[in-house]
Amino acid sequence: MITVIGSLNMDLIVQMDAFPKQGETILGQAFQTVPGGKGANQAVAAARLGHEVAMIGCVGKDSFGEALRSVLQQEHIQTGAIVSSPSALTGIANILIYNNDNRIVVVPGANYELSPSHLEASKHLIQKSQMVIIQLEIPKETTAYAIRMCKEAGVPILLNPAPAANFDVQWMEDITYLTPNETECAEIFNEPIDHLLEKYPNKLIITLGSDGARYSDGTYPIHVPGYMTTAVDTTGAGDTFNGALAYALVEGQSLDEAVYFANIAASLSVEKFSAQGGMPTLDAVFARMA
Ligand code: ADP
């Protein structure tokens, strides 16, 4: 089983002909609500490939919270450890889209109410997991606590350091895999990539957008090229990569095979609209690999 500890958001997306100026009211073209949050997205990515997944997170006692729970249940994800905040509302991302440009405001809401005591209450899930996936859209102290719990239970951790500002380099010792994109990597370490890969062999996996990903096997730096495709919407590419990487690793693939698998899965995800919308099934990944 894979357990994801992380965020759930409802994305509120408005498409428009122009961004409103200060004090101006304009008419938009279209409105959509789309389930998101890096935690939920990565849980869906792993579950859609066919693995048993449980999610630990926090939503509000509101209709968005209910809707997000039910989306995960439809993906056969265990939602018993998604708690409801008595006071905060479900996290949202307000996304304005005009041409290829966007302006986004995230209100973490209930995601920032996920506490170490919630993790303690779900200790049984963590202890029986083959891998725990964590991102950083929850309080930093909760992430630190999660890492300690996994270490004590001997459960491998895949940590996707987004947003990078919430990462603590001291965690490197206890993390099994760290998967920043290039921007996050630069923000966290501020060191040349080759040096970092050498310093963290088989641990640091840097995603490079359409170029794929890099890591070091301890002897050589390895570049696993991305799968060339026409991207329609790259939202959630990293989330698909992470869910698929965790899936492949717990299925016993080598890191090299798993990174290749995750690149293929993520390339399929960018061909469709929205983060969760394009996440592939196992059959779709195998079909592309064939
Ligand atoms: P993030 O979405 O977190 O910013 P990246 O942009 O590095 O992360 O993308 C993560 C992974 O998604 C890449 O390693 C690659 O496998 C895949 N990917 C991203 N963009 C594309 C693209 N345009 N074409 C094919 N694969 C892509």
Side-chain angles (χ1 to χ4, degrees), residues 181 207-210 212 227 229 231 234 237-238 241 263 266-267 270:
N181 64 21
T207 63
L208 310 166
S210 59
Y227 183 92
T229 187
T234 58
F241 183 95
N263 269 337
S267 78
V270 303

Side-chain angles (χ1 to χ4, degrees), residues 145-281:
Y145 198 85
I147 293 170
R148 270 206 302 282
M149 282 177 84
C150 291
K151 190 183 175 189
E152 273 168 33
V155 177
I157 301 168
L158 190 164
L159 197 147
N160 176 225
N166 285 345
F167 188 72
D168 186 337
V169 183
Q170 286 182 356
W171 294 336
M172 280 313 277
E173 204 177 309
D174 297 326
I175 292 167
T176 322
Y177 303 103
L178 186 81
T179 56
N181 64 21
E182 287 173 289
T183 317
E184 289 150 2
C185 190
E187 195 178 330
I188 290 168
F189 297 105
N190 196 21
E191 278 182 65
I193 283 190
D194 287 328
H195 180 221
L196 286 170
L197 292 175
E198 221 172 275
K199 191 165 162 187
Y200 301 113
N202 298 308
K203 176 180 284 212
L204 180 63
I205 299 137
I206 305 170
T207 63
L208 310 166
S210 59
D211 277 348
R214 290 184 70 189
Y215 71 98
S216 164
D217 69 358
T219 313
Y220 299 106
I222 293 170
H223 176 204
V224 186
Y227 183 92
M228 282 302 137
T229 187
T230 306
V232 171
D233 179 4
T234 58
T235 320
D239 293 334
T240 309
F241 183 95
N242 281 284
L245 185 68
Y247 169 88
L249 289 166
V250 301
E251 290 288 324
Q253 295 187 23
S254 68
L255 187 54
D256 197 45
E257 292 167 329
V259 173
Y260 174 66
F261 181 94
N263 269 337
I264 299 284
S267 78
L268 284 157
S269 81
V270 303
E271 292 171 2
K272 288 195 187 144
F273 179 72
S274 92
Q276 295 177 12
M279 288 173 174
T281 59

